[in-house]
Amino acid sequence: MPQLGLLHGRAWAVLFGQLRRPPGAVCIRAVHSHSQVAEAALATQLKPHQEKSNFIIKTPKGTRDLSPQQMVVREKILDMVVSCFKRHGAKGLDTPAFELKDFDIAGQFDPMIPDAECLKIVCEILSGLQLGDFLIKMSWKDVRHEMVAKKGLAAEVADRIGDYVQCHGGVSLVKQMFQDPRLSQNKQALEGLGDLKLLFEYLTLFGIAEKISFDLSLARGLDYYTGVIYEAVLLQTPAHAEEELLNVGSVAAGGRYDGLVGMFDPKGHNVPCVGLSIGVERIFSIVEQRMKTFGEKIRTTETQVFVATPQKNFLQERLKLIAELWDAGIKAELMYKNNPKLLTQLHYCENMGIPLVVIIGEQELKEGVIKLRSVASREEVAITRENLVAEIQKRLSES
């Protein structure tokens, strides 16, 4: 079961500074679809006394071509991420940059509610993708500097908290810190612990508290974070012990950045924000590696029905039949030959993973029926032409 770790940077310094934010305002949720734009770089070399130009087409650095199989996997990952974002009320926003999927909540709200939802989203996506356990790490040095140098917290109290953050845990660790007299006597530490306790209450209600873990051996390098910071990394489990573990780093990350928007506002208006990023490229590399390891076969089309015939000169009948299927919203295809062999058509369906075949020939045309064949079981039944679409839709809904 995945575990999510939390990390407080500047104001996980929360133990030392207030993260209280006034209620009100409207939540602005944005899904950033950062897609790498694969534009070919065109180099033109003009030589003296030559009318023609020499064109060299290159693939841009940081991009790559994807095979149909890879595209299917990639689209499934993106669909799952985006559908999760939409389930949480996201609005779309496209900014061409690196391949990430971001979810951000902007506005002034009561403490820890948006932060908890972001963590819930990370859990939903990584659990849905079935990538295995994930964990967060954070170093103590940066947090201690933040508390002592910028928050004014006494060094001995910061060192005492350092004893705790070298460990990792969840709700039990928070309770233990609450009971420490040296922390409980410090107002700033109590305020931070209160927010942390509140966050765990929300995570418990979301059903993900048991997936939360603290491990403060790794610090995130971005200076604009101001509160809770999280970074999900995959861990090898016994179930995936036979796999070659890819060292891809974090697969999801995010945190609170209350001061970033104000840096770009001419009037300096601050907009509290918390968000997350899903590393699509890294996840894709992991899934691709697993496909190679286990020899998984990926369908490159979504074709549901193949229109076939066992006889010659039936192209027109096949075209009329496939048009009926298309008009009914059924994904169908046929072979682009006048007189294809039936065995060739059936082998194609097996290779492409197409579940159903409709067969029309002289006998079927004479009786006013169509043969419906299951590719997997090879069973065939005769269906009247008027009932064919309904029968196909019924089978597809049951599969």
Side-chain angles (χ1 to χ4, degrees):
M1 179 174 292
Q3 278 196 324
L4 179 64
L6 267 186
L7 173 156
H8 283 73
R10 286 197 163 149
W12 201 104
V14 169
L15 295 179
F16 340 94
Q18 276 182 279
L19 287 182
R20 300 292 179 186
R21 290 167 294 282
V26 177
C27 177
I28 302 173
R29 299 160 184 253
V31 181
H32 304 294
S33 181
H34 299 304
S35 14
Q36 288 180 329
V37 183
E39 299 176 349
L42 198 60
T44 305
Q45 300 174 349
L46 295 177
K47 295 182 180 180
H49 312 295
Q50 279 190 341
E51 295 182 359
K52 282 190 175 182
S53 299
N54 295 326
F55 296 101
I56 302 175
I57 300 178
K58 299 180 180 179
T59 301
K61 292 182 179 179
T63 66
R64 59 167 172 164
D65 294 329
L66 298 178
S67 68
Q69 290 83 0
Q70 291 172 320
M71 280 299 299
V72 170
V73 175
R74 186 186 187 84
E75 287 175 0
K76 286 183 178 180
I77 294 171
L78 294 176
D79 287 346
M80 178 167 292
V81 172
V82 173
S83 64
C84 181
F85 287 173
K86 290 181 177 180
R87 188 163 61 245
H88 287 264
K91 300 176 183 178
L93 174 64
D94 185 64
T95 55
F98 300 103
E99 189 55 55
L100 297 171
K101 283 293 179 182
D102 294 351
F103 181 99
D104 300 282
I105 301 175
Q108 294 186 350
F109 304 98
D110 288 344
M112 295 298 146
I113 302 174
D115 307 69
E117 183 171 6
C118 285
L119 293 169
K120 171 66 171 170
I121 291 170
V122 174
C123 287
E124 287 182 9
I125 291 173
L126 296 185
S127 297
L129 291 172
Q130 298 180 345
L131 298 175
D133 291 348
F134 57 96
L135 191 62
I136 181 72
K137 299 178 181 180
M138 173 181 171
S139 72
W140 162 240
K141 178 181 177 181
D142 293 341
V143 177
R144 185 186 187 282
H145 172 76
E146 199 65 39
M147 292 186 297
V148 178
K150 298 185 179 181
K151 299 297 178 181
L153 194 63
E156 60 272 16
V157 178
D159 286 334
R160 181 57 183 160
I161 297 174
D163 294 338
Y164 286 105
V165 296
Q166 295 299 331
C167 307
H168 57 85
V171 180
S172 59
L173 181 59
V174 178
K175 292 179 179 179
Q176 185 181 351
M177 295 175 77
F178 257 117
Q179 294 169 358
D180 191 306
R182 280 174 286 184
L183 297 181
S184 61
Q185 293 174 7
N186 185 280
K187 182 181 178 182
Q188 290 174 305
L190 280 180
E191 288 176 349
L193 285 171
D195 272 351
L196 189 56
K197 181 175 180 292
L198 184 62
L199 177 60
F200 268 103
E201 289 178 5
Y202 296 150
L203 297 176
T204 300
L205 294 173
F206 284 153
I208 60 172
E210 74 282 356
K211 301 175 184 178
I212 307 301
S213 179
F214 291 98
D215 187 336
L216 309 179
S217 61
L218 176 67
R220 300 215 59 203
L222 300 176
D223 291 335
Y224 56 72
Y225 285 113
T226 59
V228 63
I229 302 175
Y230 37 90
E231 183 173 295
V233 294
L234 298 185
L235 303 176
Q236 193 171 33
T237 62
H240 300 110
E242 69 278 13
E243 299 180 29
E244 179 184 348
L245 189 62
L246 292 179
N247 184 21
V248 297
S250 62
V251 293
R256 177 160 289 280
Y257 52 101
D258 290 344
L260 184 61
V261 175
M263 294 170 57
F264 299 95
D265 190 305
K267 296 182 179 180
H269 293 154
N270 282 328
V271 180
C273 300
V274 63
L276 63 96
S277 296
I278 304 297
V280 174
E281 286 297 331
R282 294 181 176 186
I283 291 174
F284 174 74
S285 297
I286 293 167
V287 174
E288 188 178 28
Q289 178 64 37
R290 289 182 179 178
M291 287 168 50
K292 292 178 181 178
T293 301
F294 296 105
E296 296 179 13
K297 195 172 182 180
I298 302 295
R299 283 196 65 189
T300 56
T301 72
E302 296 182 5
T303 304
Q304 299 166 316
V305 181
F306 188 89
V307 178
T309 183
Q311 293 164 330
K312 295 182 179 180
N313 303 319
F314 261 78
L315 176 60
Q316 292 185 5
E317 293 299 329
R318 285 190 290 141
L319 293 177
K320 286 194 291 184
L321 181 54
I322 199 169
E324 292 178 21
L325 300 181
W326 286 337
D327 292 342
I330 296 172
K331 299 171 184 177
E333 62 177 291
L334 50 69
M335 194 160 285
Y336 303 132
K337 288 188 176 182
N338 280 306
N339 302 308
K341 295 180 179 180
L342 180 61
L343 191 59
T344 301
Q345 297 171 84
L346 297 179
H347 281 169
Y348 176 82
C349 295
E350 291 178 355
N351 292 334
M352 298 300 294
I354 301 173
L356 297 174
V357 183
V358 291
I359 302 174
I360 184 169
E362 290 181 358
Q363 188 66 28
E364 289 78 21
L365 195 61
K366 180 179 178 181
E367 297 177 358
V369 298
I370 303 292
K371 280 185 181 177
L372 182 59
R373 178 187 175 99
S374 167
V375 175
S377 66
R378 301 186 178 182
E379 294 179 355
E380 295 180 357
V381 293
I383 308 292
T384 59
R385 186 85 172 233
E386 57 268 22
N387 294 329
L388 179 62
V389 168
E391 179 62 23
I392 291 174
Q393 292 173 336
K394 176 176 175 290
R395 293 201 183 195
L396 292 175
S397 65
E398 294 173 348
S399 61

